Amino acid sequence: MTAHRLGIVGYGNLGRGVELAVSLQEDMELVGVFTRRDPSTLTTALEDTAVRSMDALESMPGEIDVLVLCGGSKSDLPAQTPQLAARFTVVDSFDTHARIPEHYAAVDAAAREAGTTALISTGWDPGLFSINRLFGEAILASGDTYTFWGRGLSQGHSDAVRRVDGVAGAVQYTIPSEDAIARVRAGERPELSTREKHVRECFVVLEEGADAEAVREEIVTMPHYFEPYDTTVHFITAEELARDHRGAPHGGFVIRSGESSPGTTQTIEYHPQEESNPEFTASVLVAYARAAARLAATGEHGARTPFDVAPGLLSPKSPEQLRAELL
Amino acid sequence: MTAHRLGIVGYGNLGRGVELAVSLQEDMELVGVFTRRDPSTLTTALEDTAVRSMDALESMPGEIDVLVLCGGSKSDLPAQTPQLAARFTVVDSFDTHARIPEHYAAVDAAAREAGTTALISTGWDPGLFSINRLFGEAILASGDTYTFWGRGLSQGHSDAVRRVDGVAGAVQYTIPSEDAIARVRAGERPELSTREKHVRECFVVLEEGADAEAVREEIVTMPHYFEPYDTTVHFITAEELARDHRGAPHGGFVIRSGESSPGTTQTIEYHPQEESNPEFTASVLVAYARAAARLAATGEHGARTPFDVAPGLLSPKSPEQLRAELL
């Protein structure tokens, strides 16, 4: 088996996750991490990972099969994906849903002109969740699709709690409403707003002398962030915060509920549960990097999304093996 | 939108489900049901469904885009799929896992020679479950995959109970073990045999004067069928059997549990819950019939399985619409 040679662009939590995920795939080798920072300042998760400056990429198109782009969707990827697609086969996890058509168009133009393949929006949402939304409505044509997020750490809401007077530290988890999920599973097909589908849970360390009841009140009545939700506040110690809330868990549910004939309810439920959101996203990216390499090798140039990728392309196994072992 | 013109071959519970599923798809029209029985003896679910003899197919290749084959995997499909693939684009739900490679080879040869497309094994297992097994191991390379079946009616086990002396009527449900599922969800990655993963529940109507305890004992100690399992027997009335146990529910779970780095557990869970197993399988078949029509139109000839089908091909929506609405 010829190994796919991968490069990582950008080294935050996602890039680190890709580094770890590549090490678990037997048909992949990591050429290196490419960074805009001074390479000597960067400590990688694995000892033998090479770190180079972005400039080094200039001379390397022949040495890399796929670049895995690990920048942010807000300011990095909109520029980086088209730029790098002009020289490399790339995969990204662009996740600003509303701007996907625009991103797709820019990347597609660059990749077509260069004769490369660019697989965008390949994380879990967009990505695996999108595929399950598509399957759900294609199969159960008469029905409704529900996406729930969590239990997961929300950075924006955690920051909002930290800004409250008297708060020394805090994290906030978004949690799917058990009641809402139960109604969907039962085939009720309720109309639910995002706020009806989720509840919020805060773990807060108070500053010395702070009034717990006042802090709780300010949090649960905060407009937009917490007021519209059912919010629970737990007060914990700084030690507990450091010990029990360091991870970045996430997950969610995509549920399609429909009728195949009047009165006959069918549901399909998809549910990832992630102890580390960036490592999970990275694992998805890396499987799609394999698919991107194969699409590029067969001359499928231009932008693609998970909707365009046959499942078999994600697996290291041959089509014969897949049919015999997994079908 | 040009409608895909579908024909149904074989009219049991599955064929009936396909008839209903096609009626829910806006881009499909049903040319008719084709049967080996006398067409006049057959009552369809929908009033305006045309019923014709299999012989009528001879003259119809130009009038049908895809034939949906609804025969059984044991004796019908092994002969029928290759035969009909020699003249039509076809889709089947061949589900004898061990014989898929053999079936694929026979169908592939016929379809390649004829320049048709034949999409096989497209139900939920094989089919949707297979895709989720593939995604699970491609994404979480270090992990284990668990398939649980049920809660579902088992015809073979129901028959076995009915053969017990003193039993007037019975149904048997196969149920995933809650304990086993909990261990898998918790990331324990236990080694589990099929019998450890499932429990059995029987609903039995006694003949007049039968000894309930003796019947229960004979059921739960029946070798192979029940003895190795945790089996519960409920005695009910003939009225309750007729009222509460007429459906053919099924479903199950595919769970992948793995580590993205040492100590960081990730799980992905896929769970259909079907009030009607044949109608659910039929709904999957019909979505894949759309994909088969598209593959045929772009000259992708030969046998294909769900592993070869990009998700977008299943949806009536355009790629642009899918990216804007579902990604």
Side-chain angles (χ1 to χ4, degrees):
Chain A
M1 196 188 301
T2 317
H4 301 294
R5 300 166 302 170
L6 269 55
I8 294 171
V9 174
Y11 197 78
N13 288 332
L14 184 59
R16 191 176 172 282
V18 170
E19 182 191 9
L20 294 165
V22 168
S23 74
L24 299 177
Q25 299 281 1
E26 290 181 6
D27 62 340
M28 294 186 182
E29 66 183 51
L30 187 59
V31 176
V33 167
F34 299 86
T35 177
R36 285 173 300 200
R37 291 179 269 170
D38 174 355
S40 68
T41 63
L42 203 147
T43 308
T44 56
L46 305 173
E47 241 178 78
D48 51 358
T49 298
V51 183
R52 300 179 191 185
S53 80
M54 282 292 284
D55 301 335
L57 273 178
E58 292 291 338
S59 61
M60 299 187 73
E63 296 166 52
I64 293 171
D65 296 313
V66 185
L67 279 184
V68 184
L69 310 188
C70 299
S73 295
K74 197 167 172 191
S75 49
D76 298 326
L77 298 176
Q80 236 174 32
T81 310
Q83 263 164 31
L84 290 167
R87 285 178 294 145
F88 295 89
T89 285
V90 300
V91 53
D92 80 15
S93 62
F94 184 79
D95 68 359
T96 312
H97 291 264
R99 305 191 68 177
I100 286 174
E102 183 184 335
H103 186 60
Y104 179 89
V107 174
D108 191 49
R112 278 184 195 279
E113 195 181 322
T116 61
T117 304
L119 198 36
I120 65 162
S121 301
T122 67
W124 59 275
D125 192 2
L128 303 179
F129 269 27
S130 319
I131 289 174
N132 279 279
R133 286 188 285 260
L134 187 159
F135 267 90
E137 67 171 45
I139 291 166
L140 300 172
S142 167
D144 291 299
T145 302
Y146 298 84
T147 300
F148 295 88
W149 293 281
R151 182 178 183 258
L153 186 78
S154 162
Q155 211 50 68
H157 284 77
S158 297
D159 288 343
V161 175
R162 290 184 199 116
R163 285 191 296 265
V164 170
D165 267 357
V167 170
V171 291
Q172 193 268 183
Y173 298 97
T174 306
I175 303 171
S177 156
E178 281 180 29
D179 175 59
I181 288 190
R183 292 177 63 196
V184 171
R185 282 183 179 151
E188 270 188 48
R189 291 169 61 182
E191 278 194 37
L192 297 168
S193 62
T194 299
R195 63 187 57 175
E196 287 173 306
K197 289 194 293 184
H198 300 95
V199 300
R200 301 195 174 281
E201 191 171 24
C202 307
F203 292 85
V204 174
V205 180
L206 292 171
E207 285 176 353
E208 221 178 294
D211 175 350
E213 209 30 64
V215 166
R216 182 199 309 271
E217 189 61 21
E218 188 169 340
I219 293 170
V220 303
T221 59
M222 196 185 296
H224 309 301
Y225 280 87
F226 295 102
E227 187 278 327
Y229 295 88
D230 185 356
T231 301
T232 311
V233 180
H234 306 280
F235 294 104
I236 59 174
T237 66
E239 291 68 38
E240 287 168 330
L241 183 70
R243 187 190 65 206
D244 303 333
H245 301 278
R246 292 181 58 185
H250 221 303
F253 296 83
V254 173
I255 308 180
R256 178 71 174 182
S257 170
E259 286 189 337
S260 52
S261 64
T264 303
T265 298
Q266 316 274 11
T267 65
I268 311 175
E269 186 171 324
Y270 185 75
H271 170 45
Q273 190 176 304
E274 309 152 18
E275 281 192 3
S276 162
N277 181 4
E279 287 185 20
F280 188 74
T281 303
S283 301
V284 179
L285 262 170
V286 164
Y288 276 100
R290 179 183 289 120
R294 288 168 168 175
L295 289 171
T298 53
E300 291 242 14
H301 298 148
R304 295 289 187 279
T305 77
F307 292 157
D308 306 311
V309 179
L313 294 175
L314 298 172
S315 171
K317 294 181 174 171
S318 71
E320 293 73 20
Q321 225 183 332
L322 289 175
R323 285 193 293 269
E325 295 174 14
L326 292 183
L327 195 60
Chain B
M1 196 187 303
T2 317
H4 301 295
R5 300 166 303 171
L6 269 55
I8 294 172
V9 174
Y11 197 79
N13 287 331
L14 184 59
R16 191 176 172 282
V18 170
E19 182 190 10
L20 294 166
V22 168
S23 74
L24 299 177
Q25 299 280 2
E26 290 181 6
D27 62 341
M28 294 184 181
E29 66 182 53
L30 187 60
V31 175
V33 167
F34 298 88
T35 177
R36 284 174 299 201
R37 291 180 268 170
D38 174 355
S40 68
T41 63
L42 203 148
T43 308
T44 56
L46 304 174
E47 242 179 78
D48 52 357
T49 298
V51 183
R52 300 177 192 188
S53 80
M54 283 292 284
D55 301 336
L57 273 178
E58 291 292 339
S59 60
M60 298 187 75
E63 296 166 51
I64 293 171
D65 296 313
V66 186
L67 278 184
V68 184
L69 310 187
C70 299
S73 295
K74 198 167 172 190
S75 48
D76 298 325
L77 298 176
Q80 236 174 31
T81 310
Q83 262 164 31
L84 290 167
R87 285 178 295 144
F88 295 89
T89 285
V90 300
V91 54
D92 80 16
S93 62
F94 184 79
D95 67 359
T96 311
H97 291 264
R99 305 191 68 177
I100 286 174
E102 183 184 334
H103 186 61
Y104 179 90
V107 174
D108 191 49
R112 278 184 196 279
E113 195 182 322
T116 61
T117 304
L119 198 37
I120 64 162
S121 301
T122 68
W124 59 275
D125 192 0
L128 303 179
F129 269 26
S130 321
I131 290 174
N132 279 278
R133 288 188 283 259
L134 187 160
F135 267 91
E137 67 171 46
I139 291 166
L140 300 172
S142 167
D144 291 299
T145 302
Y146 298 84
T147 299
F148 295 88
W149 293 280
R151 181 178 185 262
L153 187 78
S154 163
Q155 209 52 66
H157 284 77
S158 298
D159 289 344
V161 176
R162 289 185 199 117
R163 285 191 295 266
V164 170
D165 267 354
V167 171
V171 291
Q172 193 269 184
Y173 298 97
T174 306
I175 303 171
S177 155
E178 281 181 28
D179 175 59
I181 288 190
R183 292 177 62 196
V184 171
R185 282 182 178 152
E188 269 188 47
R189 291 169 61 181
E191 278 194 37
L192 296 168
S193 63
T194 299
R195 63 186 58 174
E196 287 173 307
K197 290 194 291 183
H198 300 96
V199 300
R200 302 196 174 280
E201 191 172 22
C202 307
F203 292 85
V204 174
V205 180
L206 290 173
E207 285 176 353
E208 221 177 293
D211 175 349
E213 207 33 62
V215 167
R216 182 200 310 272
E217 190 62 20
E218 189 170 340
I219 293 170
V220 303
T221 59
M222 197 185 296
H224 308 302
Y225 280 87
F226 294 103
E227 187 278 327
Y229 295 87
D230 184 356
T231 301
T232 311
V233 180
H234 306 279
F235 295 104
I236 60 175
T237 65
E239 292 68 38
E240 286 168 330
L241 183 69
R243 187 189 65 206
D244 303 335
H245 302 278
R246 292 183 57 185
H250 221 304
F253 296 82
V254 173
I255 308 180
R256 178 72 175 181
S257 169
E259 286 189 337
S260 52
S261 63
T264 303
T265 298
Q266 316 274 11
T267 64
I268 310 175
E269 185 171 323
Y270 185 75
H271 171 44
Q273 189 177 305
E274 308 151 19
E275 281 191 2
S276 161
N277 180 5
E279 288 186 19
F280 188 76
T281 303
S283 301
V284 179
L285 263 170
V286 165
Y288 275 100
R290 179 184 288 120
R294 288 169 167 173
L295 290 171
T298 54
E300 292 242 13
H301 298 149
R304 295 290 187 280
T305 77
F307 292 157
D308 306 311
V309 179
L313 294 175
L314 298 172
S315 170
K317 295 181 175 172
S318 71
E320 293 73 21
Q321 226 183 333
L322 289 174
R323 286 193 294 271
E325 294 175 14
L326 292 184
L327 196 59

